[in-house]
């Protein structure tokens, strides 16, 4: 039986002489498919089944997995390919998608998050630190790990006069007044918590409309990355590579 679906290639494993097995993120979840002769230079599937290619796929169902019978590329995000650090970041996003997006359930929000982040990197519209942080907080929120950043976990205040403590494992924070009372140390400036709250509360497409100073950007990146590492069951292999390229 043949079926047509839009999806983006988020993983590829080379097999045989010129074939690859690809993982697609589609609106209906993750799909694995065999793409025969897709590594042949100039072949009809070569570009449209490459990593990061967003294509319309024609799939035919087989015993163990689908086979790609045709694919028409809609966007290949080729500018990302020309910069090693951006490419490494995109591959990290894809690895998180492989671990966190569902297999046979509605994944349209995951797909729009990935496409939107790749678009912003490809067109150089937003800086990498911001795209990465929004991606990390958004994908964790979609997967059921939304941080509880509305107010201080002790007094409920939505604001803080000074630096705060963010507990990554508990996914909550304590304001500077409450910290003073308990003698605990702060670990983040408050604007970082405000940025995370903005991401969690915004519509997906508006989640990038915030700014942070240079120091706060570094703290924001640290918070978002730690948050992924603390809640994901395995360490993404591609993250070290990205941090090395950066
Ligand atoms: Zn408080």
């Amino acid at each position: 039986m043949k079926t047509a679906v839009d999806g983006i290639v988020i993983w590829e494993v080379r097999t045989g002489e010129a074939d690859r097995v690809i993982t697609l993120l589609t609106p209906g979840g993750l799909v694995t498919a065999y793409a025969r002769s897709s590594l042949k230079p100039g072949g009809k599937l070569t570009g449209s089944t490459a990593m990061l290619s967003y294509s319309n796929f024609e799939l035919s169902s087989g015993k163990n997995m689908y086979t790609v019978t045709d694919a028409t590329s809609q966007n290949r995000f080729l500018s990302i390919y020309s910069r090693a650090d951006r490419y490494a970041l995109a591959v990290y996003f894809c690895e998180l998608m492989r671990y966190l997006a569902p297999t046979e359930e509605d994944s349209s929000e995951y797909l729009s998050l990935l496409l939107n982040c790749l678009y912003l990197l490809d067109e150089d519209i937003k800086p990498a630190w911001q795209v990465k942080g929004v991606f990390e907080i958004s994908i964790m929120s979609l997967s059921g790990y939304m941080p509880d950043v509305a107010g201080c976990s002790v007094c409920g205040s939505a604001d803080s006069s000074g630096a705060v403590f963010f507990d990554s494992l508990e996914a909550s924070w304590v304001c500077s007044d409450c910290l003073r009372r308990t003698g605990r140390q702060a670990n983040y400036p408050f604007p970082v918590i405000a940025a995370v709250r903005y991401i969690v509360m915004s519509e997906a497409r508006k989640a990038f409309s915030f700014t942070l100073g240079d120091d706060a950007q570094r703290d924001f990146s640290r918070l978002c990355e730690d948050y992924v590492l603390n809640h994901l069951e395995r360490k993404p292999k591609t993250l070290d590579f990205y941090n090395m390229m950066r």
Side-chain angles (χ1 to χ4, degrees):
M1 201 181 79
K2 283 194 175 176
T3 166
V5 65
D6 287 336
I8 178 165
V9 180
I10 60 164
W11 203 247
E12 61 173 12
V13 177
R14 291 162 183 241
T15 168
E17 249 177 48
D19 308 338
R20 55 188 160 199
V21 174
I22 53 176
T23 303
L24 307 175
L25 176 64
T26 77
L30 298 173
V31 170
T32 306
Y34 198 83
R36 203 177 301 283
S37 302
S38 62
L39 291 169
K40 270 194 187 149
K44 76 166 180 172
L45 298 179
T46 309
S48 53
T49 61
M51 193 67 190
L52 303 186
S53 187
Y54 179 60
S55 304
N56 180 261
F57 294 91
E58 187 186 274
L59 305 173
S60 107
S61 54
K63 233 191 238 166
N64 300 314
M65 69 173 88
Y66 289 103
T67 297
V68 181
T69 48
D70 202 0
T72 312
S73 184
Q74 297 175 44
N75 192 344
R76 292 192 54 198
F77 301 105
L78 289 175
S79 301
I80 292 179
Y81 271 85
S82 64
R83 289 180 56 180
D85 57 335
R86 295 283 159 114
Y87 184 74
L89 184 55
V91 172
Y92 165 61
F93 292 169
C94 289
E95 186 178 4
L96 293 188
M97 281 292 168
R98 268 168 66 219
Y99 296 156
L100 295 168
T103 299
E104 278 177 8
E105 281 170 43
D106 180 7
S107 300
S108 44
E109 285 183 278
Y110 289 86
L111 180 60
S112 0
L113 172 66
L114 182 60
L115 291 176
N116 196 21
C117 287
L118 294 181
Y119 169 75
L120 295 172
L121 287 180
D122 194 49
E123 301 278 333
D124 224 357
I125 296 171
K126 291 286 177 185
W129 68 265
Q130 193 170 33
V131 179
K132 177 170 179 281
V134 173
F135 181 88
E136 288 170 327
I137 294 299
S138 303
I139 192 170
M140 296 316 287
S141 299
L142 284 175
S143 332
Y145 302 102
M146 185 183 283
D148 180 10
V149 280
C152 165
S153 60
V154 178
C155 71
S157 167
D159 211 341
S160 178
S161 53
V164 304
F165 177 75
F166 179 72
D167 187 332
S168 191
L169 286 172
E170 293 293 323
S172 62
W173 62 282
V174 180
C175 78
S176 56
D177 288 344
C178 291
L179 282 183
R180 224 170 285 129
R181 277 195 285 277
T182 55
R184 286 161 83 189
Q185 290 289 315
N187 59 358
Y188 288 101
F190 178 68
V192 167
I193 301 298
V196 172
R197 179 164 58 204
Y198 180 79
I199 296 166
V200 169
M201 307 280 220
S202 306
E203 277 176 51
R205 288 197 174 269
K206 292 185 185 151
F208 299 86
S209 306
F210 64 92
T211 52
L212 287 172
D214 286 351
D215 286 348
Q217 284 175 19
R218 277 188 288 277
D219 287 322
F220 170 78
S221 299
R222 176 166 62 89
L223 185 151
C224 299
E225 194 170 298
D226 282 354
Y227 195 65
V228 168
L229 296 177
N230 277 322
H231 292 278
L232 206 64
E233 281 165 17
R234 53 186 131 182
K235 185 166 185 208
K237 293 188 187 81
T238 50
L239 181 60
D240 288 339
F241 183 60
Y242 169 68
N243 284 328
M244 202 176 73
M245 299 300 300
R246 191 158 57 90

